Structures are given as structure tokens and as C-alpha cells.
Amino acid sequence: MLAALLSVVMLASPLPHAGSARECATPSIDRYQQWIASGEGTTVPATGSMLVPARHRGYTAKIEFLNDEWHVAVLWLANEFEAQADLSRSAGFRLTYSATDDVYLQLRPASHWSGGAQWATRIPSTHGRTVTRFFSFRPSAWGPVAELGQPAHSFATAVSEARGFVFVGKTPNKLAFHGLRVDRYTPPCL
């Protein structure tokens, strides 16, 4: 009788889904631990982690792009450089952020990590307000940044070998990232 009751309770209990995972033991935003100022372009911070304690709890990733030059900020999707994530079954991602100007998000694969010629989507300015927006992984929503060149790899490669999101912009910008949920993907904590 007890075994039957336990099996009913277990079947009735919902299984945890990707979005319900707890934060990592070290600073993270939705389990993403590696938000990095790359040292490319004049930024504050210039290098290192962009994570700072948030007002209420948790963390925010902040970076300021200074001057009219290319700037780069990096997020490793699996929390370490040598790792990658297969996002080919994902519909896209929900980003909670603020930006004082437009910025591009490049989806960089492990096999073509370096160089500016990458598949990108525009992350529009919020005029400094915090918003949450969904960005699709439909190929039509992605393309090259004209000044940086045409990618030598397919968008399917970028999605299936995703090593990181790289935020690039050529104008002064104050960026803050408060949340990131990728459909069908939860990063491992390190």
C-alpha cells in the first residue's frame, strides 16, 4: 500500500525543468558564471569579471563601452572556454538587460571562435531602462555585422557548437545584464 501511494505521489510531482535550476555557489546570473570584459576596446571594467552584487540579491553583469571604437564583452555559455553547448533544439533566449545604445550579440562556435566575422543579432537600446526580451534562433533573425565581414561558417554550425555569446559595439554604451534564460539549455555550474 505504501509503495503504491509513493508511486502516485512521485508521478504527480512535476519534474524540474531547465529554468528551475538553482544558482551556482559562486557569482552567477541564471547559472552563467563567466561574464568577461575582454580588454578589446576601452571599457569599464577593462578586463576580468563583469559580475557585481545586485541591489536586492544575486548578481548583475555590468560593462561600459567608452569612445567610438569596437568593444567586446564575452559570456561563455558552458562556463568554461573549452566547453560548448548544442543549442540546435532551442527556440531562442530571453534576456533581461539595459543598454543606452544598440549592441550586437554574436553567437560564436567552438570551431570558429576568433574574428569579428560571426553570426549576430541586434540587441536594441532600452534607453537605460531594464527590459526583458526574447531573441529567436531562427536563421532569418541572424546575419553578419556589415563592417566585420561575412562568417565563413554556417548558422547551423554556430548554433550546434555554441561556445559563447559575444557582445560587440562601436559606440559608447552602458550595459547591464540581469537575466538570461536559453530555451532547452541550462549551463553547468563550475
Side-chain angles (χ1 to χ4, degrees):
M1 177 101 173
L2 180 59
L5 181 60
L6 283 175
S7 66
V8 168
V9 169
M10 288 175 64
L11 289 174
S13 300
L15 295 173
H17 58 79
S20 68
R22 286 192 259 188
E23 282 295 331
C24 301
T26 59
S28 65
I29 298 171
D30 294 323
R31 298 174 58 96
Y32 294 95
Q33 297 167 285
Q34 299 297 323
W35 298 81
I36 303 165
S38 72
E40 298 175 70
T42 308
T43 63
V44 176
T47 59
S49 178
M50 299 181 335
L51 290 170
V52 296
R55 276 189 201 162
H56 302 292
R57 65 182 178 96
Y59 290 85
T60 298
K62 290 185 175 185
I63 191 164
E64 186 172 354
F65 293 173
L66 306 174
N67 307 325
D68 291 318
E69 61 187 3
W70 285 106
H71 311 88
V72 177
V74 177
L75 169 65
W76 294 342
L77 290 171
N79 288 323
E80 59 183 325
F81 180 73
E82 293 301 326
Q84 64 188 49
D86 182 354
L87 305 179
S88 59
R89 293 180 53 229
S90 176
F93 60 95
R94 188 170 308 284
L95 183 65
T96 302
Y97 74 104
S98 64
T100 56
D101 202 353
D102 292 353
V103 66
Y104 290 98
L105 182 150
Q106 295 179 329
L107 179 59
R108 293 200 182 183
S111 62
H112 293 85
W113 174 257
S114 296
Q118 303 285 341
W119 293 99
T121 193
R122 186 177 65 87
I123 307 295
S125 169
T126 67
H127 307 288
R129 292 175 297 126
T130 299
V131 301
T132 299
R133 290 200 173 117
F134 181 79
F135 298 89
S136 174
F137 281 138
R138 283 187 336 269
S140 61
W142 295 75
V145 177
E147 288 183 65
L148 301 178
Q150 184 69 34
H153 56 283
S154 68
F155 181 70
T157 297
V159 172
S160 65
E161 299 178 12
R163 176 173 281 169
F165 284 168
V166 177
F167 298 90
V168 298
K170 195 175 179 181
T171 59
N173 204 342
K174 289 183 180 178
L175 297 157
F177 303 99
H178 307 279
L180 173 64
R181 296 295 175 103
V182 177
D183 175 53
R184 297 178 179 247
Y185 177 70
T186 300
C189 290
L190 298 181

